Amino acid sequence: MSELLQDSPRDPQVSRLYREFSTAEPSAALDQRVLAAARTALADRSKSVRSQGWWQRWRTPLALTTTLALSLTLALLHERQPGPVPVERAVDRQLPDVRRDAPGTKAVEQAKPELPAAPAAAPAAATVAIPAAAPANSQPETKARVARPSLAVGEHDARAGSQVAAEQASPVVADYQARSAAPAAAPAVAPAEAKRESLPASPAAKSKGGVAGAVDEARLDNAVTPTPAMRESAAALGKLRAEVPRSPAAWLEEIRALMREGKAEEAARQLREFRRTHPDYPLPEEFRQ
Amino acid sequence: MLAYRTGDADAFTTLYSRYRGSLYRYLTQHCGNAALAEELYQDVWIKVVNARTDYEPLARFSTWIFRIAHNRLIDHYRKHAPQLAASFAPQATDDDPDALDDLIDSLPAPLHETPHALLERRTTAERISLALADLPPAQREVFLLAEEGGLTLEEIAAATETGRETTKSRLRYALGKLRHSLQDLL
């Protein structure tokens, strides 16, 4: 740069002389005219902006805001839109209808107050409800299969579910379930199976010493005595259990039930299988020994 | 200029006060007519005002405004003295003595030919103006852009759309002629 400046022809004496005597300046009037023109130009601009009106001034930000809001709404709707109906939801939805429709279920409800009739009514519920569920719903085969065990032990779901829910409330378990989507896919079915497992094994003696009067659900369950039909349905349920994925909590509940029933060998086998299937699942204290 | 573009009127006042003298002298010395210079001067500033929305600081403001002034002068000469306008063309052969003489002959009537100017000629300022007026327009312009605008050779070349070496040559000739004309004042 300095080379370029040095390259430029210069004559300091001529420059000094020129600057010393060339002092002409525009008149004040000319200055005023120019400055007034500049201010007028600015005033015209602001006036034109003001005269644009509300719509012209705000249409761009308004359009942008609307577009943004629409996009956000669509994105949220798309996110919340249900995909394929999960198995447990299908079960939940089918359950009340099937209960209402199935004659076997009605029989159970009617039999509740009459304790002696319970042993007969309960197997009926177990056997009749299964075929009743299929025609009642036009769901795919898998959903129907899932629905059957739930129907059979529908009355036990709430209690088993509450136990499982307590277990699932643990942060470690919740974390595990968040990581493993598959076991969590059937939380409603698995508790039902847990109770189903204990159903045929319930001591019938309790029902013999049953008290007349108000009978709660537990007594009704205990009143069930294993019959050939019930064994058959239990076998079918066992088959179904193998097909339907169980949640870890429900599985543990099953193992617990086996231990309570004194089936230590079966419980140990189930526990080994459980450990193989869910190696990361935190085991409750009772299973660690 | 950017501040003025955003609506700051005071910024324009500052800008104006910075360039008013140099721009006015550039035009006055160039066209040799105060009334015409005033008209051109006002036109140049109006152009600046109107061009504020499109203004981009690609070069120094002085380069930009003197370029506007240069173009305004060319427009004027094209309208009123086409042969003079042609002398601003980059192809003008400044180094050719005959061509220079032709250009000098084509200059507008110098101020010293009027009675009023005869009086003022006695002053040094008039001597300088005379010396400048005697310069070929292209050389005078280069000299004025260098002195009044403070532009470098590159900036003058860009403003007048000529080559750097041509500009340099013109400036050298202008300085030499002025030195020769004003020798007794130096």
Side-chain angles (χ1 to χ4, degrees):
Chain A
M1 187 66 189
S2 59
E3 279 179 19
L4 291 175
L5 288 173
Q6 283 171 1
D7 191 30
S8 178
R10 289 170 179 222
D11 193 329
Q13 284 182 316
V14 172
S15 293
R16 185 189 53 77
L17 189 69
Y18 173 79
R19 287 177 187 177
E20 197 176 337
F21 291 97
S22 181
T23 54
E25 288 203 337
S27 63
L30 186 58
D31 288 346
Q32 288 305 315
R33 280 207 297 273
V34 172
L35 290 173
R39 287 204 173 86
T40 309
L42 278 186
D44 289 348
R45 176 177 161 260
S46 58
K47 207 182 286 177
S48 69
V49 168
R50 246 181 275 128
S51 66
Q52 270 181 343
W54 177 88
W55 172 242
Q56 280 176 315
R57 259 184 293 155
W58 288 100
R59 64 183 170 185
T60 308
L62 208 63
L64 284 173
T65 312
T66 312
T67 310
L68 198 69
L70 273 173
S71 308
L72 208 65
T73 311
L74 282 173
L76 285 173
L77 280 174
H78 182 71
E79 205 169 79
R80 286 177 188 173
Q81 204 169 27
V85 182
V87 174
E88 69 271 26
R89 285 190 187 177
V91 172
D92 290 344
R93 260 184 255 151
Q94 289 169 3
L95 206 53
D97 301 337
V98 173
R99 271 182 188 161
R100 254 181 270 119
D101 296 341
T105 316
K106 283 176 186 168
V108 171
E109 283 169 3
Q110 286 165 2
K112 271 183 189 178
E114 302 163 14
L115 195 59
T127 49
V128 175
I130 294 170
N137 295 282
S138 58
Q139 297 293 331
E141 183 59 26
T142 48
K143 288 181 183 174
R145 263 190 277 156
V146 170
R148 282 174 204 155
S150 298
L151 284 170
V153 291
E155 300 295 330
H156 307 279
D157 285 357
R159 279 174 293 136
S162 68
Q163 279 184 357
V164 173
E167 214 165 279
Q168 285 174 346
S170 152
V172 185
V173 176
D175 175 54
Y176 176 81
Q177 288 183 343
R179 278 184 284 136
S180 55
V189 179
E193 289 175 353
K195 275 290 170 186
R196 193 187 329 122
E197 182 71 22
S198 63
L199 185 63
S202 297
K206 284 185 183 178
S207 67
K208 284 176 190 170
V211 187
V215 179
D216 61 13
E217 287 179 4
R219 296 192 86 106
L220 181 65
D221 294 339
N222 291 336
V224 176
T225 49
T227 63
M230 210 169 163
R231 275 189 215 104
E232 203 176 292
S233 75
L237 290 174
K239 194 181 172 187
L240 281 171
R241 189 184 60 198
E243 291 173 8
V244 179
R246 287 173 291 188
S247 77
W251 198 342
L252 285 174
E253 187 58 33
E254 279 183 36
I255 297 170
R256 240 183 237 116
L258 286 171
M259 287 168 77
R260 273 200 301 272
E261 292 161 15
K263 296 180 179 176
E265 202 175 313
E266 173 65 10
R269 193 185 64 76
Q270 288 285 333
L271 192 60
R272 275 198 303 278
E273 198 181 331
F274 178 86
R275 294 295 298 156
R276 198 166 52 249
T277 313
H278 304 290
D280 297 332
Y281 193 86
L283 276 180
E285 194 61 37
E286 56 187 295
F287 291 113
R288 288 185 192 161
Q289 294 160 0
Chain B
M1 189 61 185
L2 293 173
Y4 174 59
R5 189 173 70 176
T6 58
D8 186 356
D10 293 336
F12 183 82
T13 308
T14 307
L15 200 65
Y16 180 77
S17 61
R18 194 178 293 167
Y19 290 97
R20 61 188 280 276
S22 55
L23 186 68
Y24 181 77
R25 284 189 293 277
Y26 166 77
L27 292 167
T28 309
Q29 298 288 10
H30 211 302
C31 65
N33 183 325
L36 176 63
E38 281 201 2
E39 186 190 329
L40 297 176
Y41 175 83
Q42 195 170 327
D43 284 354
V44 169
W45 280 111
I46 295 299
K47 277 182 184 288
V48 169
V49 167
N50 292 336
R52 69 188 182 283
T53 49
D54 302 323
Y55 176 76
E56 290 295 333
L58 300 174
R60 282 203 299 166
F61 180 77
S62 56
T63 310
W64 186 64
I65 194 171
F66 278 98
R67 186 171 191 159
I68 292 174
H70 165 80
N71 291 335
R72 183 67 190 86
L73 271 172
I74 291 195
D75 287 347
H76 171 76
Y77 288 136
R78 274 186 188 144
K79 210 173 200 176
H80 299 99
Q83 75 280 9
L84 203 61
S87 69
F88 286 95
Q91 296 82 11
T93 53
D94 301 325
D95 301 340
D96 181 3
D98 294 334
L100 289 175
D101 290 341
D102 291 343
L103 287 173
I104 290 166
D105 291 343
S106 66
L107 284 172
L111 293 174
H112 63 269
E113 287 182 6
T114 62
H116 177 69
L118 286 170
L119 291 172
E120 289 182 344
R121 246 179 236 165
R122 292 171 192 165
T123 66
T124 309
E126 282 302 321
R127 283 282 308 279
I128 294 167
S129 296
L130 182 63
L132 278 170
D134 281 343
L135 287 176
Q139 291 176 17
R140 186 167 65 235
E141 179 170 55
V142 170
F143 175 79
L144 288 171
L145 286 172
E147 289 297 329
E148 296 292 354
L151 306 187
T152 63
L153 284 178
E154 286 74 21
E155 288 169 339
I156 295 168
T160 58
E161 296 176 0
T162 52
R164 183 181 180 278
E165 290 306 311
T166 307
T167 306
K168 186 179 167 185
S169 171
R170 284 174 180 173
L171 185 57
R172 190 186 295 117
Y173 273 100
L175 287 170
K177 283 177 185 175
L178 285 173
R179 171 166 275 280
H180 180 74
S181 303
L182 306 170
Q183 186 66 49
D184 56 317
L185 296 173
L186 294 173

